[in-house]
Amino acid sequence: MKVTVISGGVGGARFTRGLLALLAERLPDGGGGTTATVTVVANTGDDLWLHGVRVCPDLDTVMYTLGGAVHEDQGWGRRAESSRVSTDLASYDLGWEWFTLGDLDLATHLARTQLLREGRPLSQVTAHLCRRWEPGVTLVPMTDQEVETHVVVDDGPTGERLLHFEEWWVRHRAALPARRFVQVGLEDAVPAPGVLEALRDADVVILPPSNPVVSIGTVLAIPGVREAVVATRAPVVGVSPVIGGAAVRGMADACLRAIGVETSAEAVARHLGLRARGGILDAWLVDTVDATAATALARDGWSTRAVPTLMTDVPTTARIAAAALELVGL
Ligand code: FO1
C-alpha cells in the first residue's frame, strides 16, 4: 500500500507516527515495521536563514518525531537539548531571543547548510539527514527552491509590512492581524522530485491535522501540486485540525481568520473543497464534538465521520488514522 501524506510540522508529524503504528499492525514487515510505503510531502514555507544556516522547521519536526529524537512537549527541536551556542551568540548581540537554535539542532542545520553549499538540492539533503534518523517514511520537501511564507500585517493607518512567518508566529504569537499570506519565491518553485509521483501513484492521499492555511495551503500552492491531488486516482481524506471551533494546535484560527474562513471543522472542509466540486477532498474526519458538521457535510455529498480526533498518544493516533483510512474504504 502506498500512502502519501501532505504535512506541516507538529500535527502532521504526530499523525504520521500514529499512521505508521497502524500500518505496522495491519501490514507488518516482520521486523516491527510495515510493508506499506509512506511518503511525507512537507511544507518548507516556514524555512529561514539564521546565523548563516538554513533552518527547516517542518522537515525537522517530521524527521525528529518519526526518528524518535523530538522534544515531545514542544513538538519541535531535539530532546535533551542545550542552548550554549545560542546563549553565546546573544553575547555577540546576534540572533533573536524569541527564536533560538539548540546545540544539537544546530548540528542538523550545519549539516544541511554544508550539503546545500556543495550544490545538493534540499530533497537530496533531506534524504541524507534521514539516513541517520530512519523516520520510516520517504520525507520530501514540497520544493527544492526557497519559498518562504511571509505575513502582511498593518503598518500604521494605511501602510502594511511583510514579516517572515516565524516572526509573526513565534515573536508575535500570531497576535498581529494578518491581512494575507505571501509565498515569497513561489513563482520560481516547482515540486521537488518525487512529489508529483507520490501523489499520482498513491493508494491514498491523507491531509493530517496540520495548519490548513500556512502548512497544507502552502504545499498546495506549489505549481502543479494541487492539480496532482485533484487528478490522483487515490482517494483523498483529511482530518480536521479544528475541534469544537478551536484550533487544536498553534494559532491556526489566526491564519483562518486572515483568509476569511471560520474556525470550524465544517468551514475548513468547505475551504479545501469536495473534489467532485472542484475541491481536493473526498472525505473529512471530524471530532465527535463536531458531529453536526459531519451531518451537514454528508448532506452535501461528503464522506464524513465523527470520532475522537485528539492525538493524545500513539495508540489513539493510530485509531484516528484507521478511521481516516476506513472513511475511504481502506
Ligand atoms: N518555536 C518557538 O516558539 N520558539 C523557538 O525559539 C523556536 C525555535 C525553533 C528552531 C528550529 C525549529 O525547527 C523550530 C523552532 N520553533 C520554535 C518551532 C517553529 O516555530 C515551528 O516548528 C513551526 O515553524 C511552526 O509550526
Side-chain angles (χ1 to χ4, degrees):
M1 176 196 266
K2 295 191 182 78
V3 184
T4 298
V5 178
I6 297 178
S7 175
V10 183
R14 285 184 174 156
F15 176 85
T16 305
R17 188 166 55 182
L19 171 68
L20 287 172
L22 171 75
L23 292 171
E25 198 183 297
R26 275 204 187 158
L27 300 166
D29 64 359
T34 176
T35 56
T37 54
V38 179
T39 301
V40 177
V41 178
N43 166 50
T44 54
D46 296 3
D47 296 5
L48 70 153
W49 287 103
L50 179 55
H51 305 306
V53 294
R54 189 68 178 162
V55 179
C56 301
D58 286 356
L59 281 171
D60 292 349
T61 289
V62 175
M63 184 172 72
Y64 289 156
T65 300
L66 302 185
V70 77
H71 186 300
E72 197 61 44
D73 296 346
Q74 280 180 174
W76 52 267
R78 293 275 288 271
R79 178 162 32 82
E81 183 59 284
S82 54
S83 56
R84 296 184 68 196
V85 173
S86 62
T87 303
D88 208 65
L89 278 165
S91 310
Y92 288 115
D93 203 16
L94 293 177
W96 306 305
E97 75 289 343
W98 47 271
F99 193 96
T100 55
L101 303 178
D103 297 332
L104 298 177
D105 195 34
L106 197 51
T108 299
H109 308 313
L110 286 168
R112 173 164 39 236
T113 304
Q114 175 185 333
L115 296 171
L116 286 171
R117 292 240 188 283
E118 287 168 5
R120 314 260 290 265
L122 181 59
S123 47
Q124 281 184 26
V125 172
T126 303
H128 179 103
L129 300 177
C130 284
R131 281 208 289 276
R132 168 195 174 173
W133 294 109
E134 299 181 340
V137 303
T138 301
L139 178 57
V140 189
M142 64 188 189
T143 177
D144 279 336
Q145 286 75 49
E146 289 184 18
V147 176
E148 294 186 2
T149 301
H150 283 62
V151 188
V152 179
V153 297
D154 296 349
D155 188 19
T158 56
E160 57 183 35
R161 66 193 167 102
L162 221 49
L163 284 180
H164 187 282
F165 170 76
E166 290 292 355
E167 180 165 9
W168 179 70
W169 186 259
V170 178
R171 184 178 197 179
H172 299 289
R173 310 305 300 157
L176 298 179
R179 287 190 178 175
R180 63 187 181 283
F181 297 102
V182 174
Q183 267 78 38
V184 176
L186 187 64
E187 57 286 346
D188 302 326
V190 295
V195 167
L196 297 182
E197 295 80 354
L199 294 167
R200 186 193 60 217
D201 301 338
D203 294 307
V204 61
V205 174
I206 305 179
L207 274 58
S210 286
N211 187 309
V213 182
V214 291
S215 296
I216 305 274
T218 301
V219 178
L220 292 172
I222 299 297
V225 172
R226 190 181 194 287
E227 294 81 354
V229 177
V230 171
T232 183
R233 59 175 177 74
V236 182
V237 54
V239 180
S240 177
V242 173
I243 295 182
V248 173
R249 175 159 176 97
M251 293 81 66
D253 46 337
C255 303
L256 288 163
R257 195 173 308 121
I259 62 167
V261 174
E262 180 202 352
T263 299
S264 74
E266 181 177 351
V268 175
R270 294 187 188 281
H271 166 63
L272 293 170
L274 189 62
R275 198 154 52 148
R277 283 206 288 277
I280 60 166
L281 288 169
D282 301 318
W284 187 245
L285 190 67
V286 302
D287 191 84
T288 38
V289 300
D290 295 306
T292 51
T295 309
L297 290 166
R299 215 179 17 244
D300 287 347
W302 290 73
S303 171
T304 70
R305 191 173 161 212
V307 300
T309 58
L310 199 57
M311 303 186 287
T312 48
D313 56 29
V314 176
T316 303
T317 307
R319 281 193 293 277
I320 298 166
L325 291 177
E326 194 179 340
L327 207 40
V328 288
L330 292 171

